[in-house]
Amino acid sequence: MPAPHILLITTDELRKDTLSLYGNEAVQTPYLDRFAQSGIRFDKAYSVSPWCFPSRCAIVTGRLPHNTGAYSNFRPLELDKNIPNLFTELKKSGYKTSVHGKCHFVPVPYDQTRPDLTLSYEPFRDYYMSLGIDHLDLQDDKQVSVWFYDDYAKELDEAGYLKAYRDATWNVEGNRKVFPFPGPDEWHPDSWVGQKAVEYLEDCDPDKPNFTWVSFSGPHYPFDPPESYFSRVDMSKDKPCSVLEGEFSDPSRIHHRSYYGNGRGVVDGAGVAPGYACANYDADYWHELRTSYYANMALIDDQIGRILEAAEKRFGGNVLVIFTADHGEMLGNHGMWGKGDCAYEDVLNVPLLVRYPGEQHASCTDAPVMLTDIMATCLKTAGANPPETDGRDFKESIACGGYPYTFSEGEGFASVCDGRWKYVHAVKMGREFYELFDLQSDPQEFYNVIDAPEHAAVVAELRKQLTNLFMKKLLA
Protein backbone atom coordinates (compact mmCIF):
# COMPACT_ATOMS: atom_id res chain seq x y z
CA MET A 1 0.00 0.00 0.00
CA PRO A 2 1.42 3.45 -0.87
CA ALA A 3 2.34 5.87 1.90
CA PRO A 4 -0.79 7.47 3.35
CA HIS A 5 -1.61 11.11 2.87
CA ILE A 6 -1.94 13.29 5.97
CA LEU A 7 -4.55 16.00 6.46
CA LEU A 8 -4.24 18.15 9.59
CA ILE A 9 -7.07 20.61 10.20
CA THR A 10 -6.76 23.12 13.02
CA THR A 11 -8.82 26.02 14.28
CA ASP A 12 -7.60 28.87 16.44
CA GLU A 13 -8.97 29.50 19.93
CA LEU A 14 -11.80 26.95 19.67
CA ARG A 15 -13.34 25.75 22.92
CA LYS A 16 -14.40 22.12 22.79
CA ASP A 17 -18.04 22.59 23.78
CA THR A 18 -18.66 24.91 20.83
CA LEU A 19 -19.11 21.80 18.70
CA SER A 20 -22.41 19.94 18.64
CA LEU A 21 -20.54 16.63 18.85
CA TYR A 22 -19.34 17.77 22.29
CA GLY A 23 -22.81 18.83 23.37
CA ASN A 24 -23.47 22.35 22.05
CA GLU A 25 -27.11 22.94 21.08
CA ALA A 26 -26.91 26.63 20.16
CA VAL A 27 -25.13 25.86 16.87
CA GLN A 28 -24.81 22.68 14.85
CA THR A 29 -21.55 21.50 13.30
CA PRO A 30 -22.83 18.65 11.11
CA TYR A 31 -19.70 18.00 9.08
CA LEU A 32 -17.51 17.55 12.14
CA ASP A 33 -20.29 15.47 13.73
CA ARG A 34 -20.23 13.20 10.68
CA PHE A 35 -16.45 13.00 10.71
CA ALA A 36 -16.53 11.97 14.38
CA GLN A 37 -18.67 8.98 13.40
CA SER A 38 -15.74 7.53 11.46
CA GLY A 39 -12.84 8.13 13.86
CA ILE A 40 -11.66 8.54 17.43
CA ARG A 41 -13.08 11.31 19.58
CA PHE A 42 -10.82 12.41 22.42
CA ASP A 43 -12.47 13.93 25.48
CA LYS A 44 -9.23 14.68 27.34
CA ALA A 45 -6.94 16.24 24.74
CA TYR A 46 -4.81 19.08 26.06
CA SER A 47 -3.04 22.04 24.55
CA VAL A 48 0.44 22.62 25.94
CA SER A 49 0.06 26.41 26.01
CA PRO A 50 -2.74 28.98 26.22
CA TRP A 51 -1.01 31.09 23.55
CA CYS A 52 -0.94 30.57 19.78
CA PHE A 53 2.80 30.75 19.09
CA PRO A 54 4.00 28.25 21.74
CA SER A 55 1.15 25.86 21.02
CA ARG A 56 1.67 25.87 17.25
CA CYS A 57 5.40 25.37 17.60
CA ALA A 58 4.68 22.42 19.91
CA ILE A 59 2.35 20.91 17.31
CA VAL A 60 4.87 21.20 14.49
CA THR A 61 7.87 19.93 16.53
CA GLY A 62 6.26 17.56 19.05
CA ARG A 63 8.20 19.34 21.78
CA LEU A 64 7.06 21.33 24.78
CA PRO A 65 7.75 25.09 24.65
CA HIS A 66 10.70 24.99 27.07
CA ASN A 67 12.36 22.43 24.77
CA THR A 68 12.13 24.65 21.68
CA GLY A 69 12.58 28.11 23.22
CA ALA A 70 9.30 29.09 21.51
CA TYR A 71 7.49 30.06 24.69
CA SER A 72 6.19 33.62 24.24
CA ASN A 73 3.87 35.49 21.85
CA PHE A 74 5.47 38.77 22.86
CA ARG A 75 9.26 38.39 22.67
CA PRO A 76 11.41 38.44 19.50
CA LEU A 77 11.61 34.67 19.21
CA GLU A 78 11.15 32.35 16.27
CA LEU A 79 11.01 28.59 15.87
CA ASP A 80 14.58 27.34 15.48
CA LYS A 81 15.01 25.93 11.97
CA ASN A 82 17.52 23.39 13.33
CA ILE A 83 14.80 21.63 15.34
CA PRO A 84 13.22 18.78 13.33
CA ASN A 85 9.63 19.56 12.44
CA LEU A 86 6.71 17.95 10.63
CA PHE A 87 7.65 19.52 7.31
CA THR A 88 11.34 18.61 7.30
CA GLU A 89 10.81 15.08 8.60
CA LEU A 90 7.96 14.18 6.25
CA LYS A 91 9.88 15.59 3.29
CA LYS A 92 12.64 13.07 4.07
CA SER A 93 10.05 10.36 3.39
CA GLY A 94 9.00 11.87 0.08
CA TYR A 95 6.04 13.96 1.22
CA LYS A 96 4.99 17.21 -0.38
CA THR A 97 4.07 19.71 2.33
CA SER A 98 1.57 22.55 2.29
CA VAL A 99 -0.05 24.99 4.70
CA HIS A 100 -3.26 26.85 3.99
CA GLY A 101 -3.99 29.58 6.53
CA LYS A 102 -2.24 30.46 9.75
CA CYS A 103 1.38 29.59 10.59
CA HIS A 104 2.41 31.86 13.49
CA PHE A 105 5.76 30.13 14.03
CA VAL A 106 7.24 33.51 14.96
CA PRO A 107 5.75 36.17 17.27
CA VAL A 108 3.97 39.05 15.59
CA PRO A 109 5.65 42.49 15.92
CA TYR A 110 2.59 44.09 17.52
CA ASP A 111 4.44 47.35 18.20
CA GLN A 112 4.86 48.00 14.47
CA THR A 113 1.16 47.81 13.56
CA ARG A 114 -0.64 50.93 12.27
CA PRO A 115 -4.37 51.65 11.86
CA ASP A 116 -3.84 53.52 8.58
CA LEU A 117 -1.57 51.07 6.78
CA THR A 118 -1.05 47.39 6.05
CA LEU A 119 2.69 46.62 6.18
CA SER A 120 4.92 44.26 4.21
CA TYR A 121 5.08 40.66 5.42
CA GLU A 122 7.50 39.06 2.95
CA PRO A 123 10.27 38.28 5.51
CA PHE A 124 7.75 36.32 7.57
CA ARG A 125 6.51 34.41 4.55
CA ASP A 126 10.08 33.60 3.47
CA TYR A 127 10.88 32.37 6.97
CA TYR A 128 7.84 30.08 7.03
CA MET A 129 8.82 28.57 3.69
CA SER A 130 12.33 27.95 5.01
CA LEU A 131 10.89 25.60 7.64
CA GLY A 132 10.18 23.05 4.89
CA ILE A 133 6.83 24.17 3.47
CA ASP A 134 6.54 23.49 -0.27
CA HIS A 135 3.28 25.38 -0.85
CA LEU A 136 1.86 28.17 1.32
CA ASP A 137 -1.42 30.08 1.17
CA LEU A 138 -0.77 32.45 4.06
CA GLN A 139 -3.57 33.95 6.14
CA ASP A 140 -1.61 34.43 9.34
CA ASP A 141 -4.47 35.45 11.69
CA LYS A 142 -7.44 37.76 11.16
CA GLN A 143 -5.77 40.76 12.79
CA VAL A 144 -2.42 40.02 11.17
CA SER A 145 -4.11 40.14 7.78
CA VAL A 146 -5.13 43.77 8.34
CA TRP A 147 -1.79 44.68 9.92
CA PHE A 148 0.44 42.98 7.32
CA TYR A 149 0.24 42.01 3.66
CA ASP A 150 0.03 38.25 3.84
CA ASP A 151 -1.35 36.35 0.83
CA TYR A 152 -4.96 36.82 1.93
CA ALA A 153 -4.53 40.54 2.59
CA LYS A 154 -3.15 41.08 -0.91
CA GLU A 155 -6.11 39.34 -2.54
CA LEU A 156 -8.59 41.05 -0.21
CA ASP A 157 -7.09 44.41 -1.14
CA GLU A 158 -7.34 43.63 -4.85
CA ALA A 159 -11.01 42.71 -4.32
CA GLY A 160 -11.59 46.07 -2.62
CA TYR A 161 -12.45 44.90 0.93
CA LEU A 162 -9.22 45.28 2.91
CA LYS A 163 -9.74 48.87 4.05
CA ALA A 164 -13.21 48.15 5.44
CA TYR A 165 -11.86 45.11 7.31
CA ARG A 166 -8.91 47.10 8.64
CA ASP A 167 -11.16 49.93 9.82
CA ALA A 168 -13.52 47.55 11.61
CA THR A 169 -10.66 45.66 13.26
CA TRP A 170 -9.04 48.86 14.55
CA ASN A 171 -12.35 50.31 15.80
CA VAL A 172 -11.82 48.76 19.22
CA GLU A 173 -13.67 51.38 21.27
CA GLY A 174 -16.63 51.19 18.93
CA ASN A 175 -17.09 47.42 18.72
CA ARG A 176 -14.83 45.78 21.36
CA LYS A 177 -13.72 43.31 18.64
CA VAL A 178 -17.26 42.11 17.86
CA PHE A 179 -18.64 42.99 14.40
CA PRO A 180 -20.02 41.33 11.26
CA PHE A 181 -17.46 40.78 8.50
CA PRO A 182 -17.57 43.85 6.20
CA GLY A 183 -17.56 41.98 2.90
CA PRO A 184 -19.07 39.05 0.99
CA ASP A 185 -19.14 35.66 2.71
CA GLU A 186 -16.57 34.19 0.34
CA TRP A 187 -14.01 36.82 1.36
CA HIS A 188 -14.09 36.05 5.06
CA PRO A 189 -10.62 34.78 6.05
CA ASP A 190 -11.94 31.32 6.98
CA SER A 191 -13.82 31.05 3.67
CA TRP A 192 -10.64 32.04 1.82
CA VAL A 193 -8.58 29.41 3.66
CA GLY A 194 -11.16 26.72 2.96
CA GLN A 195 -11.31 27.60 -0.74
CA LYS A 196 -7.51 27.59 -1.09
CA ALA A 197 -7.30 24.19 0.61
CA VAL A 198 -10.01 22.69 -1.62
CA GLU A 199 -8.34 24.02 -4.77
CA TYR A 200 -5.01 22.56 -3.66
CA LEU A 201 -6.47 19.16 -2.82
CA GLU A 202 -8.33 18.95 -6.10
CA ASP A 203 -5.13 19.65 -8.02
CA CYS A 204 -2.50 17.74 -6.02
CA ASP A 205 -0.86 14.50 -7.17
CA PRO A 206 -2.52 11.58 -5.36
CA ASP A 207 0.38 9.29 -6.29
CA LYS A 208 2.79 11.36 -4.20
CA PRO A 209 2.19 11.46 -0.43
CA ASN A 210 0.91 14.82 0.72
CA PHE A 211 1.00 16.49 4.13
CA THR A 212 -1.67 19.17 4.04
CA TRP A 213 -2.22 21.46 7.02
CA VAL A 214 -5.41 23.52 6.82
CA SER A 215 -5.11 26.13 9.56
CA PHE A 216 -8.17 28.32 10.14
CA SER A 217 -7.60 31.55 12.07
CA GLY A 218 -11.18 31.57 13.38
CA PRO A 219 -13.03 31.53 15.65
CA HIS A 220 -10.21 33.54 17.29
CA TYR A 221 -11.17 37.17 17.83
CA PRO A 222 -12.17 39.55 16.35
CA PHE A 223 -15.56 37.87 16.55
CA ASP A 224 -16.51 38.65 12.96
CA PRO A 225 -18.69 36.13 11.10
CA PRO A 226 -20.52 37.07 7.92
CA GLU A 227 -24.01 38.34 8.70
CA SER A 228 -25.63 35.40 6.89
CA TYR A 229 -24.32 32.95 9.50
CA PHE A 230 -26.15 34.47 12.45
CA SER A 231 -29.27 32.58 11.39
CA ARG A 232 -27.42 29.33 12.11
CA VAL A 233 -27.30 30.16 15.84
CA ASP A 234 -30.15 29.64 18.30
CA MET A 235 -29.10 31.43 21.46
CA SER A 236 -32.21 30.25 23.30
CA LYS A 237 -30.39 26.90 23.51
CA ASP A 238 -27.09 28.37 24.72
CA LYS A 239 -25.86 27.37 28.13
CA PRO A 240 -25.42 30.29 30.56
CA CYS A 241 -21.91 31.54 31.22
CA SER A 242 -20.27 29.91 34.21
CA VAL A 243 -19.66 32.79 36.64
CA LEU A 244 -19.21 33.01 40.42
CA GLU A 245 -19.84 36.40 42.02
CA GLY A 246 -16.72 37.57 43.85
CA GLU A 247 -14.49 34.84 42.43
CA PHE A 248 -11.59 37.23 41.79
CA SER A 249 -12.07 39.57 44.75
CA ASP A 250 -8.86 38.29 46.32
CA PRO A 251 -5.89 40.21 44.78
CA SER A 252 -3.82 37.01 44.99
CA ARG A 253 -5.83 35.52 42.11
CA ILE A 254 -4.15 35.57 38.71
CA HIS A 255 -7.12 37.25 37.05
CA HIS A 256 -8.02 39.76 39.76
CA ARG A 257 -6.80 42.68 37.66
CA SER A 258 -8.22 41.26 34.43
CA TYR A 259 -11.66 41.22 36.00
CA TYR A 260 -11.64 44.40 38.09
CA GLY A 261 -9.26 46.62 36.16
CA ASN A 262 -6.98 48.86 38.24
CA GLY A 263 -4.50 48.64 35.38
CA ARG A 264 -4.45 46.28 32.44
CA GLY A 265 -4.81 42.60 33.31
CA VAL A 266 -3.39 39.54 31.60
CA VAL A 267 -6.37 38.02 29.78
CA ASP A 268 -7.03 39.20 26.20
CA GLY A 269 -10.52 40.58 26.79
CA ALA A 270 -9.32 42.92 29.53
CA GLY A 271 -7.26 44.87 27.01
CA VAL A 272 -10.34 46.23 25.21
CA ALA A 273 -12.82 46.22 28.11
CA PRO A 274 -14.14 49.52 29.51
CA GLY A 275 -11.64 50.50 32.20
CA TYR A 276 -9.62 47.35 31.34
CA ALA A 277 -12.10 45.45 33.51
CA CYS A 278 -13.95 42.42 32.14
CA ALA A 279 -16.50 43.06 34.90
CA ASN A 280 -17.68 46.06 32.86
CA TYR A 281 -18.98 43.97 29.96
CA ASP A 282 -22.77 43.76 30.10
CA ALA A 283 -25.17 40.93 29.21
CA ASP A 284 -25.87 42.33 25.73
CA TYR A 285 -22.17 42.30 24.91
CA TRP A 286 -21.76 38.68 26.02
CA HIS A 287 -24.81 37.66 23.98
CA GLU A 288 -23.44 39.33 20.86
CA LEU A 289 -19.93 37.95 21.36
CA ARG A 290 -21.06 34.36 21.90
CA THR A 291 -23.49 34.52 18.97
CA SER A 292 -20.70 35.76 16.70
CA TYR A 293 -18.29 33.09 17.93
CA TYR A 294 -20.77 30.29 17.25
CA ALA A 295 -21.64 31.72 13.83
CA ASN A 296 -17.94 31.79 12.89
CA MET A 297 -17.68 28.12 13.83
CA ALA A 298 -20.67 27.29 11.62
CA LEU A 299 -18.80 28.86 8.71
CA ILE A 300 -15.66 26.86 9.52
CA ASP A 301 -17.69 23.65 9.75
CA ASP A 302 -19.04 24.29 6.24
CA GLN A 303 -15.49 24.71 4.95
CA ILE A 304 -14.32 21.56 6.73
CA GLY A 305 -17.11 19.64 5.00
CA ARG A 306 -15.81 20.81 1.62
CA ILE A 307 -12.23 19.94 2.55
CA LEU A 308 -13.09 16.43 3.77
CA GLU A 309 -15.08 15.77 0.60
CA ALA A 310 -12.20 16.94 -1.60
CA ALA A 311 -9.71 14.79 0.33
CA GLU A 312 -11.91 11.71 0.07
CA LYS A 313 -12.33 12.15 -3.68
CA ARG A 314 -8.58 12.60 -4.16
CA PHE A 315 -7.15 10.10 -1.68
CA GLY A 316 -9.95 7.66 -0.89
CA GLY A 317 -9.43 6.09 2.52
CA ASN A 318 -5.64 6.25 2.42
CA VAL A 319 -5.35 9.38 4.55
CA LEU A 320 -4.73 10.18 8.20
CA VAL A 321 -7.06 13.01 9.24
CA ILE A 322 -6.58 14.98 12.45
CA PHE A 323 -8.81 17.83 13.62
CA THR A 324 -8.04 19.96 16.68
CA ALA A 325 -7.45 23.50 17.98
CA ASP A 326 -4.28 25.17 19.23
CA HIS A 327 -6.11 26.20 22.43
CA GLY A 328 -9.57 27.21 23.63
CA GLU A 329 -11.36 30.39 24.70
CA MET A 330 -13.02 31.57 27.94
CA LEU A 331 -16.06 32.99 26.05
CA GLY A 332 -17.60 34.61 29.12
CA ASN A 333 -16.93 31.85 31.62
CA HIS A 334 -15.46 33.34 34.79
CA GLY A 335 -16.60 36.67 33.32
CA MET A 336 -13.74 36.86 30.78
CA TRP A 337 -12.92 36.26 27.15
CA GLY A 338 -9.54 35.34 25.71
CA LYS A 339 -7.02 32.80 26.89
CA GLY A 340 -3.90 34.56 28.21
CA ASP A 341 -2.61 33.01 31.44
CA CYS A 342 -5.66 30.74 31.62
CA ALA A 343 -5.12 27.19 32.83
CA TYR A 344 -8.87 26.57 32.89
CA GLU A 345 -10.33 23.56 31.08
CA ASP A 346 -12.10 26.11 28.83
CA VAL A 347 -8.71 26.91 27.30
CA LEU A 348 -6.55 23.81 27.71
CA ASN A 349 -9.00 20.94 27.09
CA VAL A 350 -9.36 21.13 23.31
CA PRO A 351 -11.39 19.17 20.74
CA LEU A 352 -9.56 16.34 18.99
CA LEU A 353 -10.76 13.94 16.30
CA VAL A 354 -8.46 11.40 14.62
CA ARG A 355 -9.17 8.98 11.79
CA TYR A 356 -6.39 6.61 10.79
CA PRO A 357 -5.96 5.41 7.17
CA GLY A 358 -8.35 2.65 6.19
CA GLU A 359 -10.43 2.95 9.37
CA GLN A 360 -14.08 3.95 9.39
CA HIS A 361 -15.51 3.31 12.84
CA ALA A 362 -16.43 5.60 15.72
CA SER A 363 -14.89 5.35 19.17
CA CYS A 364 -14.37 7.64 22.14
CA THR A 365 -11.60 7.80 24.70
CA ASP A 366 -10.94 9.72 27.89
CA ALA A 367 -7.21 8.89 27.86
CA PRO A 368 -5.34 12.17 28.53
CA VAL A 369 -3.25 13.14 25.50
CA MET A 370 -1.41 16.30 24.48
CA LEU A 371 -1.01 18.13 21.18
CA THR A 372 2.69 17.23 21.23
CA ASP A 373 1.44 13.78 20.14
CA ILE A 374 0.48 15.03 16.67
CA MET A 375 3.99 14.90 15.21
CA ALA A 376 4.68 11.38 16.50
CA THR A 377 1.32 10.19 15.16
CA CYS A 378 1.95 11.67 11.72
CA LEU A 379 5.47 10.31 11.42
CA LYS A 380 4.56 6.82 12.62
CA THR A 381 1.63 6.65 10.23
CA ALA A 382 3.92 7.79 7.40
CA GLY A 383 6.47 5.11 8.25
CA ALA A 384 9.10 7.80 8.87
CA ASN A 385 11.91 7.62 11.40
CA PRO A 386 10.73 9.96 14.15
CA PRO A 387 13.24 12.16 15.99
CA GLU A 388 13.02 12.44 19.76
CA THR A 389 9.96 14.41 20.83
CA ASP A 390 7.81 14.93 23.93
CA GLY A 391 4.94 13.01 22.32
CA ARG A 392 3.87 9.60 21.11
CA ASP A 393 1.35 8.11 18.69
CA PHE A 394 -2.24 8.65 19.82
CA LYS A 395 -2.98 4.92 19.72
CA GLU A 396 -0.03 4.27 22.01
CA SER A 397 -1.42 6.82 24.44
CA ILE A 398 -4.83 5.17 24.37
CA ALA A 399 -3.31 1.73 24.94
CA CYS A 400 -1.52 2.84 28.11
CA GLY A 401 -4.35 5.00 29.44
CA GLY A 402 -2.82 8.34 28.50
CA TYR A 403 -0.42 10.59 30.40
CA PRO A 404 -0.51 10.64 34.21
CA TYR A 405 0.19 14.40 34.05
CA THR A 406 -0.58 17.02 31.42
CA PHE A 407 1.42 20.25 31.23
CA SER A 408 0.93 23.75 29.89
CA GLU A 409 3.57 26.45 29.52
CA GLY A 410 4.17 30.01 28.42
CA GLU A 411 6.06 33.14 29.38
CA GLY A 412 5.96 33.35 33.19
CA PHE A 413 3.31 30.63 33.32
CA ALA A 414 3.13 26.89 33.96
CA SER A 415 0.47 24.41 35.00
CA VAL A 416 0.27 20.69 35.68
CA CYS A 417 -2.77 18.47 36.13
CA ASP A 418 -3.09 14.84 37.24
CA GLY A 419 -6.71 14.55 36.10
CA ARG A 420 -8.16 15.67 39.40
CA TRP A 421 -5.83 18.30 40.82
CA LYS A 422 -4.53 21.24 38.79
CA TYR A 423 -1.66 23.45 39.98
CA VAL A 424 -0.95 26.81 38.32
CA HIS A 425 2.12 29.01 38.85
CA ALA A 426 2.37 32.43 37.21
CA VAL A 427 4.83 35.30 37.49
CA LYS A 428 3.09 38.40 36.19
CA MET A 429 3.03 42.14 36.82
CA GLY A 430 5.93 41.86 39.26
CA ARG A 431 4.15 39.28 41.43
CA GLU A 432 3.97 35.51 41.86
CA PHE A 433 0.63 33.72 41.80
CA TYR A 434 -0.21 30.18 42.88
CA GLU A 435 -3.52 28.41 42.37
CA LEU A 436 -4.83 24.89 42.99
CA PHE A 437 -8.15 23.51 41.76
CA ASP A 438 -9.95 20.26 42.58
CA LEU A 439 -11.65 19.25 39.34
CA GLN A 440 -13.59 16.55 41.14
CA SER A 441 -15.41 18.72 43.66
CA ASP A 442 -15.09 21.97 41.68
CA PRO A 443 -15.26 21.13 37.94
CA GLN A 444 -15.89 24.77 37.04
CA GLU A 445 -12.60 25.77 38.73
CA PHE A 446 -14.02 28.55 40.87
CA TYR A 447 -12.23 27.94 44.17
CA ASN A 448 -8.50 28.32 44.68
CA VAL A 449 -7.59 25.93 47.51
CA ILE A 450 -3.82 26.44 47.39
CA ASP A 451 -3.67 27.49 51.05
CA ALA A 452 -5.75 24.63 52.48
CA PRO A 453 -3.43 22.67 54.81
CA GLU A 454 -5.06 19.35 53.89
CA HIS A 455 -3.87 19.79 50.28
CA ALA A 456 -0.21 20.47 51.10
CA ALA A 457 0.90 17.01 49.93
CA VAL A 458 -0.95 17.45 46.61
CA VAL A 459 0.72 20.82 46.02
CA ALA A 460 4.14 19.36 46.83
CA GLU A 461 3.68 16.48 44.39
CA LEU A 462 2.50 18.67 41.52
CA ARG A 463 5.32 21.15 42.10
CA LYS A 464 7.74 18.23 42.01
CA GLN A 465 6.32 17.12 38.66
CA LEU A 466 6.83 20.60 37.20
CA THR A 467 10.35 20.79 38.60
CA ASN A 468 11.25 17.37 37.21
CA LEU A 469 9.87 18.37 33.81
CA PHE A 470 12.05 21.45 33.57
CA MET A 471 15.11 19.77 35.14
CA LYS A 472 15.28 17.41 32.18
CA LYS A 473 16.08 20.42 30.05
CA LEU A 474 18.44 21.99 32.57
CA LEU A 475 20.41 18.75 32.95
CA ALA A 476 20.46 17.87 29.23
Side-chain angles (χ1 to χ4, degrees):
M1 189 174 184
H5 304 277
I6 300 172
L7 174 60
L8 172 61
I9 304 174
T10 58
T11 54
D12 194 344
E13 204 151 316
L14 173 64
R15 54 180 298 125
K16 186 176 74 174
D17 63 5
T18 300
L19 307 179
S20 47
L21 66 100
Y22 284 108
N24 194 4
E25 296 181 355
V27 67
Q28 297 300 306
T29 48
Y31 293 107
L32 283 169
D33 289 0
R34 188 181 308 164
F35 174 57
Q37 293 304 309
S38 62
I40 307 168
R41 188 190 84 189
F42 290 80
D43 287 345
K44 296 293 182 182
Y46 286 91
S47 173
V48 299
S49 180
W51 289 280
C52 300
F53 170 65
S55 178
R56 289 169 178 274
C57 291
I59 290 172
V60 82
T61 64
R63 300 189 186 190
L64 292 165
H66 73 274
N67 284 328
T68 63
Y71 63 87
S72 172
N73 269 24
F74 312 106
R75 293 180 181 271
L77 306 167
E78 62 183 31
L79 181 61
D80 188 343
K81 289 187 285 188
N82 294 316
I83 297 174
N85 65 56
L86 271 169
F87 310 118
T88 58
E89 299 311 296
L90 286 170
K91 283 167 69 74
K92 292 177 182 177
S93 294
Y95 278 74
K96 184 176 181 181
T97 63
S98 69
V99 175
H100 314 270
K102 181 170 180 173
C103 289
H104 202 173
F105 303 131
V106 60
V108 177
Y110 300 103
D111 60 338
Q112 297 179 21
T113 60
R114 292 175 49 178
D116 61 332
L117 190 65
T118 300
L119 304 170
S120 173
Y121 209 54
E122 288 307 311
F124 289 82
R125 194 183 195 285
D126 293 343
Y127 166 74
Y128 292 149
M129 295 293 289
S130 75
L131 293 174
I133 301 172
D134 293 320
H135 176 94
L136 176 59
D137 297 311
L138 184 61
Q139 195 280 300
D140 212 19
D141 179 81
K142 297 175 183 178
Q143 295 178 130
V144 169
S145 291
V146 303
W147 294 333
F148 299 98
Y149 268 118
D150 59 17
D151 298 339
Y152 166 72
K154 292 177 182 177
E155 293 191 15
L156 190 68
D157 197 16
E158 291 172 1
Y161 303 112
L162 177 60
K163 184 181 184 304
Y165 197 25
R166 184 170 62 225
D167 290 347
T169 301
W170 276 100
N171 183 22
V172 174
E173 289 190 9
N175 58 42
R176 306 291 177 190
K177 296 191 182 290
V178 183
F179 56 85
F181 179 70
D185 293 12
E186 63 268 23
W187 280 105
H188 187 276
D190 295 325
S191 299
W192 185 89
V193 167
Q195 180 62 30
K196 291 293 183 181
V198 168
E199 291 172 356
Y200 179 85
L201 289 168
E202 290 177 342
D203 193 50
C204 71
D205 183 357
D207 296 323
K208 181 181 179 66
N210 288 272
F211 170 68
T212 307
W213 186 346
V214 185
S215 180
F216 293 101
S217 64
H220 188 292
Y221 60 87
F223 306 96
D224 64 346
E227 196 120 17
S228 64
Y229 275 88
F230 287 119
S231 62
R232 296 273 291 270
V233 181
D234 183 355
M235 288 299 286
S236 70
K237 297 180 179 179
D238 190 28
K239 297 175 183 177
C241 292
S242 177
V243 178
L244 176 68
E245 186 69 29
E247 177 186 1
F248 299 117
S249 59
D250 185 344
S252 69
R253 295 298 302 274
I254 294 171
H255 291 289
H256 169 79
R257 185 177 290 183
S258 293
Y259 190 74
Y260 289 107
N262 303 319
R264 186 166 178 171
V266 292
V267 80
D268 312 49
V272 299
Y276 299 123
C278 287
N280 290 333
Y281 289 132
D282 60 22
D284 288 343
Y285 177 81
W286 288 121
H287 183 276
E288 185 180 3
L289 184 150
R290 289 170 71 91
T291 304
S292 299
Y293 184 87
Y294 293 154
N296 194 166
M297 192 57 225
L299 182 157
I300 293 172
D301 185 67
D302 281 353
Q303 296 300 324
I304 288 174
R306 299 179 62 218
I307 291 162
L308 292 175
E309 181 181 12
E312 183 176 352
K313 286 182 178 178
R314 204 65 175 166
F315 306 140
N318 190 30
V319 55
L320 169 69
V321 184
I322 300 173
F323 167 80
T324 191
D326 57 356
H327 53 72
E329 156 68 48
M330 296 304 295
L331 206 69
N333 282 358
H334 301 264
M336 303 184 295
W337 67 258
K339 76 284 184 181
D341 289 284
C342 290
Y344 299 108
E345 293 292 287
D346 307 75
V347 169
L348 298 184
N349 183 197
V350 294
L352 175 64
L353 303 173
V354 180
R355 185 174 70 200
Y356 284 83
E359 299 185 5
Q360 286 284 335
H361 58 272
S363 64
C364 182
T365 178
D366 61 0
V369 300
M370 295 189 288
L371 296 189
T372 41
D373 293 343
I374 289 175
M375 181 169 178
T377 300
C378 291
L379 295 183
K380 183 174 182 179
T381 302
N385 294 319
E388 183 178 352
T389 69
D390 295 316
R392 61 192 177 199
D393 175 66
F394 286 124
K395 285 188 175 180
E396 293 178 22
S397 281
I398 293 172
C400 67
Y403 293 103
Y405 300 94
T406 56
F407 300 94
S408 179
E409 309 172 19
E411 182 176 357
F413 173 91
S415 71
V416 55
C417 183
D418 66 4
R420 174 181 176 180
W421 296 98
K422 182 184 294 181
Y423 171 72
V424 191
H425 185 172
V427 182
K428 300 287 171 175
M429 300 168 290
R431 295 187 55 190
E432 291 197 43
F433 299 87
Y434 311 93
E435 295 183 349
L436 179 72
F437 299 101
D438 181 355
L439 301 185
Q440 181 174 296
S441 65
D442 177 27
Q444 294 174 310
E445 301 172 276
F446 285 143
Y447 303 101
N448 177 24
V449 294
I450 190 74
D451 293 325
E454 63 269 29
H455 302 324
V458 171
V459 173
E461 177 61 27
L462 294 178
R463 283 175 170 165
K464 183 182 80 172
Q465 294 300 327
L466 270 183
T467 301
N468 288 344
L469 179 75
F470 296 131
M471 287 299 286
K472 292 177 184 177
K473 175 69 173 178
L474 291 173
L475 297 175

